[in-house]
Structures are given as C-alpha cells and as structure tokens.
Amino acid sequence: YSELASLHGDIVGQFSTYIGHVMAVVGGVEFNDFHGGRGGDPYKHVPAEYQRRAVNWLLSSAFQTPTWLVPASVTNKLGSDSGKSTVTQMQSRVLNGLWNEGRINRMLLNEQVNGANAYSVKSMLDTIGFEVWKEANADRPKADVYRRALHRSYVTALIGRMGSGGE
C-alpha cells in the first residue's frame, strides 16, 4: 500500500497548503509596490470582512471534521489510528497558527490603527472558542473522537500560549 500512502499524503499535503494560504489572510498585511511614490500607502491590513471569512473557512474546513480526508477505505489500509492523527495534527497546526504571536501582534496593531474597522483578536478568539466548544452547549453533548481531540488540542494550545508569556 505504499502508493496509496503516498497519494493520500499528497492529498493531505495539498489541503494543508490551502489551509496555510487562507491562514495568511488572518492578521495579514497586503503590499502594493507603488513605483516612484505613485499611489497610496504600500502596506495595508487585510480588510476585516476578508479576515472574518478566512477564519470561518478555516473553522468549517478544519474544525468540522474533514472526514473526506480520512475515508476508512483508505486509512484502514495505512495504519491503526484510522486517520485520527492526520486530522488532529492539522487542527493543532490551525489553532497554533491562528494563535501565533506574530499574527496576534499584527492584529493588535491593526486594531490600534483602524479601530472598529479592524478584525479584532477578541472577535477571532470568540469565534474559534464558539466553534471548538459548540457541542458543549447542546442539551445532550456528543463529541466524536475527532472533536475530543480538537478539545484537547485547544486546551494544550491555550496552555502553551499562556506559558509563552504572550498577550
């Protein structure tokens, strides 16, 4: 099954690339190379609505378990964890990437410069927290193995962030 493993790895890698590109939008800064002083400011923060849509895409694509990425017909042939580690690692990368100190600092600067027109760190954290813990608000909470792993990743990332001396 080495070819199957290779092809599956390629698909996971491509999806991770898409996630990385979308993650760059959150707390992102656009550069427009104006020549000879023509034009406006070369550096501009990515508009708040675009950042909000990027976070929502990340949450719906990575945190709502991408079962299409780990079909049992493939993962049962590749290992004993049925793709759980693939999903868990991806979700952890998204959490840690969104909580990256550089990203948070750029978002805080954006809030300072653009005020209410900026996509705030608080708004992002609230959105992420709501998505991660949404089943906890249900009358009869039910979380599958992937969601429980996401909960653990969230708590681990939060503890790591607090321990790093970050804001």
Side-chain angles (χ1 to χ4, degrees):
Y1 295 107
S2 62
E3 281 190 48
L4 179 62
S6 177
L7 290 170
H8 184 255
D10 290 346
I11 292 168
V12 170
Q14 187 63 48
F15 187 59
S16 294
T17 299
Y18 295 156
I19 285 173
H21 288 298
V22 174
M23 208 175 333
V25 170
V26 183
V29 177
E30 297 172 339
F31 175 71
N32 197 342
D33 190 10
F34 294 114
H35 294 282
R38 296 182 189 111
D41 296 333
Y43 294 97
K44 291 184 181 178
H45 294 276
V46 173
E49 182 56 29
Y50 199 52
Q51 292 184 61
R52 188 174 294 106
R53 287 180 23 217
V55 167
N56 287 334
W57 185 89
L58 289 166
L59 298 179
S60 67
S61 298
F63 291 177
Q64 294 176 13
T65 307
T67 53
W68 65 269
L69 194 59
V70 287
S73 62
V74 172
T75 57
N76 288 342
K77 293 174 177 66
L78 302 179
S80 61
D81 80 346
S82 299
K84 180 179 168 279
S85 63
T86 300
V87 172
T88 302
Q89 289 170 3
M90 178 188 60
Q91 291 173 335
S92 290
R93 277 194 307 272
V94 171
L95 275 173
N96 289 316
L98 289 174
W99 290 355
N100 172 280
E101 189 170 348
R103 183 178 322 280
I104 298 292
N105 287 338
R106 286 189 306 274
M107 292 177 75
L108 290 171
L109 176 62
N110 188 7
E111 289 178 54
Q112 181 182 354
V113 171
N114 294 309
N117 293 325
Y119 183 55
S120 70
V121 172
K122 181 185 182 324
S123 180
M124 179 184 72
L125 295 177
D126 287 348
T127 302
I128 294 169
F130 179 80
E131 174 60 35
V132 169
W133 299 103
K134 68 181 177 184
E135 58 270 312
N137 293 324
D139 290 335
R140 298 180 62 125
K142 184 177 180 183
D144 65 12
V145 66
Y146 297 106
R147 292 298 291 189
R148 289 192 305 270
L150 176 60
H151 297 157
R152 275 191 298 280
S153 294
Y154 182 91
V155 171
T156 301
L158 188 59
I159 290 169
R161 183 79 180 124
M162 291 295 132
S164 72
E167 294 181 39

